[in-house]
Amino acid sequence: MTGERWSEVGDRVFVRRHQSMDLNVTLLVGEGACLVVDTRATRRQGRELADAVRTVTPHPWAVVNTHFHFDHSFGNAAFRPATVWGQRRCADTLAERGELMRGVMADRYRDAGQEELARDIAASPIDPPDELVDDIATLTVGGRPVHLRYLGRGHTDNDLVVLLPDADLLLAGDLVEEGAPPQFGDGYPLDWPGTMDALLELVTGAVVPGHGAVVDRAYVQGQRDELARLAELATRGHAEGRPAVDAARDLPYFGDHAAQAVERAYAQLTAATT
């Protein structure tokens, strides 16, 4: 499943995998209503996504943000006045740090020579979720059940997973990555394995990651095991006083992100002892 087209991955559940950032957006279609999970990185991209939804269904939509990162939430304004669901800290973080994130990401893409995307990011309004989830919420979308679950810290402190029980699907957001290592810039490497354990308890069918190809339980288990190895090696390296870069050499699975992952783990360990 590649390119910007809808692929049906379950009964009236469609995933659109975007070339930009290899991002997945999921569309659930019910009777007279639909649900869009994540809205892309800019208001312009959100409008393009809204147009793409209309090629599948004319029904009114609601939206879920799996977490606060710009590539999952900066398209929210294109779907208003619809309700946008998110974990409570997702909304708080967008309200408190959204403008800073917008500037940082615009500068990053400008420095990379992607001026058009940088302008679009800079022009996108910060539009946090307005229906907030602490631990669990259950929606009915056109007669179809949707369960929103916060399982603990991992990729961020506000990752929601979306369960679609009548399609036997779990939407994992960036708690699960395919095609690239997990990202740790706002992550909690020591908590992430336990959060993945809780996620695995919910997996009965396919899993849609935030980025990359749809995966199965075995893939998620393998990623969980690599995260557990990271937590173990970082804990040992911190206790031994090894530099994070040194400890990261033992984690080839994470590639260039290994040093950042260990640094984040070290920061957690240091905070726990002060």
Side-chain angles (χ1 to χ4, degrees), residues 22-259:
D22 204 13
L23 177 79
N24 288 324
V25 170
T26 302
L27 171 65
L28 170 77
V29 180
E31 297 298 325
C34 67
L35 181 71
V36 178
V37 180
D38 289 332
T39 60
R40 304 193 68 200
T42 70
R43 177 163 53 183
R44 183 197 298 270
Q45 290 185 358
R47 288 171 177 160
E48 293 170 355
L49 175 61
D51 290 342
V53 170
R54 287 294 173 245
T55 68
V56 178
T57 175
H59 300 332
W61 48 51
V63 171
V64 172
N65 292 151
T66 57
H67 60 291
F68 78 91
H69 283 156
F70 81 107
D71 50 329
H72 298 260
S73 67
F74 273 23
N76 285 355
F79 291 86
R80 294 298 192 179
T83 297
V84 179
W85 292 79
Q87 211 277 339
R88 185 174 301 276
R89 283 184 296 278
C90 171
D92 291 346
T93 303
L94 280 169
E96 295 165 6
R97 293 172 45 197
E99 291 186 9
L100 175 62
M101 177 172 57
R102 180 174 59 194
V104 168
M105 299 313 302
D107 288 345
R108 180 177 300 178
Y109 283 97
R110 188 172 293 110
D111 291 344
Q114 298 187 48
E115 181 61 36
E116 183 178 5
L117 179 55
R119 286 198 303 269
D120 285 348
I121 292 171
S124 297
I126 307 301
D127 193 347
D130 49 6
E131 286 287 348
L132 306 183
V133 181
D134 290 310
D135 297 309
I136 185 169
T138 298
L139 322 180
T140 301
V141 177
R144 306 189 67 176
V146 176
H147 304 304
L148 309 180
R149 297 285 302 274
Y150 173 71
L151 303 174
R153 301 191 300 186
H155 176 66
T156 69
D157 67 354
N158 56 86
D159 301 292
L160 279 183
V161 301
V162 183
L163 291 165
L164 307 178
D166 68 354
D168 201 20
L169 286 169
L170 184 147
L171 316 182
D174 286 4
L175 286 171
V176 177
E177 293 265 6
E178 192 281 329
Q183 305 293 300
F184 295 94
D186 294 298
Y188 295 84
L190 302 184
D191 301 74
W192 205 332
T195 301
M196 291 286 272
D197 287 336
L199 186 152
L200 281 161
E201 291 180 3
L202 303 175
V203 174
T204 58
V207 175
V208 180
H211 304 261
V214 175
V215 299
D216 59 13
R217 192 180 196 283
Y219 181 92
V220 178
Q221 181 69 59
Q223 195 158 91
R224 178 266 172 208
D225 291 346
E226 292 292 347
L227 289 162
R229 183 168 181 262
L230 159 63
E232 178 184 355
L233 289 176
T235 300
R236 185 187 312 154
H238 187 267
E240 294 171 353
R242 294 175 67 191
V245 173
D246 185 25
R249 295 192 184 100
D250 297 329
L251 296 164
Y253 175 86
F254 299 104
D256 293 341
H257 303 287

